[in-house]
Amino acid sequence: MIAVIKQGTTDKQLENLSNWLKAQGLDVHLSKGSSHTIVGLVGDTSKIDAELLESLDIVESVKRISEPFKSANRKFHPDDTVIGVGNTSVGGDIFSIIAGPCSVESEEQVMAIARAVKEAGATMLRGGAFKPRTSPYDFQGLKADGIELLLKAKAETGLPIVTEIMNANHLPLFEDVDVIQVGARNMQNFELLKELGKTKKAILLKRGLANTLKELLMSAEYIMAGGNENVILCERGIRTFETYTRNTLDLSAIPLLHELTHLPVIIDPSHATGVSRLVKPMALAAAAAGADGLMIEVHNDPAHALCDGAQSLTPDAFGEVCSSVKKVLEVID
Ligand code: PEP
Ligand code: MN
């Protein structure tokens, strides 16, 4: 349920209303937007007398929210959410470019790629330290050492770092990580999501291999229900019957998610296609469709990458993507 507040309402009046609603056992979310202040209510709102609420002097209107996602709902928070991450932010008018290797392999590798992607225009560095691999015999990542190497690259380049968590027990290792990624395979690991909800970290939540947008939003809601509103959504392609691509990029997710939620939406054309030559056209399409950013895998030696070489761009190819994306953004503005 939301209550739209009349203009001219004082902070004191708003606080009194919040306290009265909290006393009825509800969670109260305040959103002071550019045009309206909205009071969002989560919990058992059946006890609330909507007519009584609407009759209050400071209340303009009251609406019930039919969707099961509340905190993530655009109706709760009409303005775009902008999430501060290190020296940059994600969402709103900012276009974020997260780039780096699928997995951190060595100090030389991650430092070289970090310098190159920064030079080319990346705003954040990615790199997997804990890798969710289909085969237990494949490289599983450098784990804690991988995070240390990312932190070294961050110290030198100033780029905030993004890396994936697979187990909530590893959270202490992520203390200096700027954005914690929840990979597609863990999108519905609800216990992990609940633990991340107790932190204040920015969370990059990737859409599951075969999940609907509603399910993605419900997973975001798990994190937000715990008190962490810093959720970035990431479309990375879904499983279809097509085999020329690793997944099928659902570009319509961008405008749809922008309608449904205030959270930033970024696109990962690398995992969506699995093919390096398809990354640029899909990155341009995503920028044109209104994405808040991109996540692109870049490797200094794709042919010898320990993971996802076939979809990784060289630093030069990544530089070309960045300059073309910039042109698209200028045209659509
Ligand atoms: C990744 O970003 O390296 C990754 C494993 O992605 P996804 O979870 O989308 O497969
Ligand atoms: Mn990968």
Side-chain angles (χ1 to χ4, degrees):
M1 181 184 272
I2 59 163
V4 181
I5 303 301
K6 284 186 187 157
Q7 281 184 354
T9 298
T10 64
D11 286 349
K12 185 73 204 150
Q13 286 172 307
L14 213 47
E15 192 187 323
N16 290 343
L17 176 65
S18 284
N19 289 341
W20 178 64
L21 292 163
K22 282 181 194 159
Q24 300 184 60
L26 295 168
D27 276 343
V28 179
H29 294 241
L30 276 189
S31 163
K32 290 190 180 178
S34 43
S35 56
H36 280 104
T37 294
I38 291 193
V39 175
L41 303 174
V42 184
D44 183 5
T45 53
S46 64
K47 293 187 212 126
I48 296 285
D49 181 341
E51 277 174 22
L52 172 66
L53 185 58
E54 201 158 32
S55 72
L56 299 178
D57 273 357
I58 62 168
V59 176
E60 192 170 289
S61 60
V62 172
K63 287 188 207 112
R64 289 209 179 265
I65 304 290
S66 50
E67 293 89 359
F69 46 95
K70 310 291 178 190
S71 302
N73 205 307
R74 175 72 82 179
K75 291 171 189 153
F76 256 52
H77 190 290
D79 290 353
D80 290 342
T81 279
V82 180
I83 300 171
V85 178
N87 55 8
T88 181
S89 25
V90 181
D93 295 334
I94 312 279
F95 192 85
S96 303
I97 304 185
I98 305 168
C102 179
S103 40
V104 177
E105 298 171 10
S106 68
E107 179 163 351
E108 300 70 54
Q109 176 242 21
V110 77
M111 295 308 280
I113 297 173
R115 289 180 199 120
V117 298
K118 182 179 177 173
E119 176 75 27
T123 55
M124 285 186 241
L125 174 68
R126 65 149 283 148
F130 292 92
K131 292 303 305 174
R133 302 305 299 277
T134 301
S135 166
Y137 308 118
D138 284 341
F139 176 58
Q140 303 287 307
L142 296 182
K143 306 186 175 77
D145 292 343
I147 295 185
E148 283 307 313
L149 294 178
L150 285 168
L151 290 172
K152 249 186 176 173
K154 171 181 165 175
E156 190 193 298
T157 60
L159 290 175
I161 53 172
V162 183
T163 193
E164 177 167 355
I165 194 164
M166 295 206 293
N167 185 330
N169 293 335
H170 296 154
L171 257 174
L173 297 171
F174 287 70
E175 200 153 327
D176 297 319
V177 168
D178 301 281
V179 179
I180 301 181
Q181 174 173 323
V182 175
R185 290 153 193 83
N186 271 312
M187 188 202 91
Q188 288 190 313
N189 181 341
F190 300 120
E191 292 305 314
L192 176 61
L193 301 179
K194 282 187 216 167
E195 288 305 315
L196 296 172
K198 294 178 192 162
T199 76
K200 286 286 171 230
K201 289 277 182 200
I203 310 296
L204 179 81
L205 178 65
K206 295 187 102 177
R207 183 178 183 179
L209 276 66
N211 285 111
T212 64
L213 294 180
K214 192 186 266 181
E215 287 163 342
L216 173 63
L217 290 168
M218 291 314 293
S219 290
E221 193 76 16
Y222 260 95
I223 300 168
M224 299 176 88
N228 184 359
E229 311 229 312
N230 302 316
V231 182
I232 303 159
L233 303 173
C234 179
E235 156 65 30
R236 43 76 75 206
I238 45 174
R239 279 271 168 91
T240 67
F241 48 77
E242 182 53 65
T243 54
Y244 279 114
T245 49
R246 184 174 178 182
N247 292 291
T248 295
L249 179 58
D250 178 8
L251 281 173
S252 59
I254 303 166
L256 263 172
L257 286 170
H258 282 324
E259 274 172 35
L260 295 167
T261 180
H262 51 88
L263 298 173
V265 178
I266 71 157
I267 294 294
D268 171 350
S270 306
H271 292 88
T273 61
V275 182
S276 58
R277 68 177 192 285
L278 301 181
V279 169
K280 183 176 174 185
M282 291 303 96
L284 299 183
D292 294 297
L294 295 165
M295 170 137 108
I296 296 180
E297 285 188 341
V298 178
H299 200 284
N300 49 350
D301 184 7
H304 296 103
L306 294 183
C307 184
D308 287 350
Q311 67 194 35
S312 298
L313 299 185
T314 60
D316 283 351
F318 171 69
E320 284 169 26
V321 174
C322 290
S323 41
S324 298
V325 162
K326 218 171 137 202
K327 288 184 204 150
V328 169
L329 294 174
E330 279 163 14
V331 174
I332 61 167
D333 253 6

